[in-house]
Amino acid sequence: MSNSLSFINKKATFARANPITPTHIDNQHTMTGKEPQHARPIVRIADVKAALERFSPLPLQEDYDNAGLQVGLTTEEVSGVVLCLDVTEQVVGYAARQGCNLIVSHHPLIFRPLRHIGDATYVERCVMQALRAGITILSMHTNMDNAYRGVSYTMAEHLGLIDVDFLQSKGTTPEEGGSGVIGQLPEAMPAADFIGTLKTTFGCGCVMANELLQRPIRRVALCGGSGAFLAQEAINQQADAFVTGEMHYHDYFGLEQQLQLCIIGHYESEQYAVQRLGEVVRQALPDVRLKPYPHTTNPVHYF
């Protein structure tokens, strides 16, 4: 037997003959001699907020935005997190029933300043409902749109794009953020087939498009939400198609056979942001209970 094994065996024999007495037990031990049961660290709402803002820093948000804390306090221990795209009265009620004291959304509940809080609008009612239930609301909006691996990246992942990068960078590194993304399909496909792929991938009731491109589509630019401001940049970077959530009527003109416009719906383009929010929290705080809202919050219906 080696000297090291002999030393280990002697230590084990000594430990069996000399059990730890209660005077040696700290507050993590029991009187039974069993291994200490380490208490889970307390995770506060502020810890969830910090994890989300490390992924999508608030300085990345656009000037017009109101990302971050919407309602409530961040000092409380988090009992559970409801993840959603939009905050509605139904979402707040679901959080209360599930015993979750935190809602994390993509779209801000309070986008414009509130002059009073009553029951005149759904925003006011949500604020009242959340405060009464002790629920805090956080929103990661354009800071998440502009973050590396943010909203547009989720679209690219579900489409299976490769060689993905920001369409319009804000700096020299990905961490400095950007707008939209651009990448390649594994194989080129006709425009009609590409639109069919979009309908399947994003569960679209329909896809609004300009006239079908006569060349195959391989290079694809994407922007979750309202991305009309990036259409020209998509052309500059030789994209065959540009996919976004919504565009104005006049934005369709003049791009025929330059760029295949594909408008899939605001909700549809951003729906996978909820999954990304969950991934961020789970990676940083694996013991936090997550509850994605199980119903659509899309106010638009297709008939």
Side-chain angles (χ1 to χ4, degrees):
M1 180 182 297
S2 69
N3 290 336
S4 60
L5 287 175
S6 175
F7 175 73
I8 291 170
N9 286 335
K10 286 178 181 178
K11 284 191 69 176
T13 302
F14 177 83
R16 287 194 295 270
N18 299 274
I20 297 173
T21 63
T23 57
H24 296 94
I25 298 173
D26 61 28
N27 61 2
Q28 295 299 318
H29 289 69
T30 69
M31 300 288 287
T32 63
K34 294 180 180 179
E35 288 295 318
Q37 298 296 314
H38 296 289
R40 289 181 178 178
I42 292 176
V43 178
R44 302 192 185 279
I45 291 172
D47 298 318
V48 179
K49 181 175 182 287
L52 291 165
E53 291 178 8
R54 282 193 298 272
F55 175 77
S56 48
L58 288 180
L60 290 181
Q61 72 177 309
E62 301 295 337
D63 293 340
Y64 59 80
D65 202 7
N66 185 41
L69 179 64
Q70 306 288 298
V71 176
L73 304 175
T74 62
T75 53
E76 295 296 316
E77 181 177 359
V78 64
S79 61
V81 182
V82 168
L83 305 165
C84 60
L85 196 72
D86 309 283
V87 180
T88 65
E89 294 166 85
Q90 292 74 25
V91 170
V92 180
Y94 176 79
R97 292 192 300 274
Q98 295 297 317
C100 296
N101 64 350
L102 177 60
I103 295 171
V104 176
S105 69
H106 176 52
H107 293 137
L109 172 64
I110 304 173
F111 195 74
R112 298 177 181 85
L114 294 176
R115 295 184 179 275
H116 50 75
I117 298 175
D119 62 356
T121 67
Y122 90 91
V123 174
E124 293 178 26
R125 292 191 294 272
C126 285
V127 171
M128 292 270 290
Q129 190 178 355
L131 290 173
R132 285 171 173 164
I135 293 171
T136 297
I137 302 174
L138 303 174
S139 301
M140 300 291 117
H141 191 212
T142 55
N143 55 320
M144 188 178 180
D145 290 338
N146 295 335
Y148 177 60
R149 297 185 64 245
V151 175
S152 297
Y153 277 87
T154 69
M155 298 173 68
E157 290 167 14
H158 281 80
L159 270 177
L161 298 190
I162 56 177
D163 301 325
V164 178
D165 201 356
F166 279 120
L167 179 58
Q168 187 176 75
S169 296
K170 291 184 177 291
T172 57
T173 66
E175 289 71 26
E176 294 177 85
S179 299
V181 298
I182 189 165
Q184 307 264 7
L185 290 168
E187 294 183 3
M189 64 176 67
D193 293 350
F194 178 68
I195 289 173
T197 298
L198 292 176
K199 293 180 70 173
T200 301
T201 302
F202 295 97
C204 306
C206 69
V207 173
M208 294 187 289
N210 57 353
E211 69 177 25
L212 292 181
L213 200 66
Q214 297 304 305
R215 66 177 187 269
I217 291 175
R218 178 75 188 275
R219 190 161 170 81
V220 178
L222 307 164
C223 181
S226 302
F229 69 102
L230 289 172
Q232 186 58 52
E233 185 61 29
I235 294 172
N236 294 344
Q237 296 201 31
Q238 300 180 323
D240 300 307
F242 178 57
V243 183
T244 190
E246 56 183 271
M247 290 178 68
H248 292 297
Y249 174 80
H250 294 286
D251 293 328
Y252 288 77
F253 285 98
L255 302 180
E256 297 83 1
Q257 299 309 314
Q258 292 187 71
L259 186 68
Q260 182 67 69
L261 296 176
C262 301
I263 316 305
I264 63 175
H266 197 117
Y267 178 93
E268 288 81 0
S269 71
E270 296 184 329
Q271 61 186 297
Y272 299 122
V274 177
Q275 179 182 336
R276 180 69 88 235
L277 289 169
E279 292 168 356
V280 171
V281 177
R282 175 66 69 222
Q283 183 174 6
L285 303 163
D287 291 331
V288 171
R289 182 167 63 100
L290 301 179
K291 299 289 292 185
Y293 185 63
H295 308 293
T296 180
T297 57
N298 190 358
V300 179
H301 297 267
Y302 299 93
F303 297 99

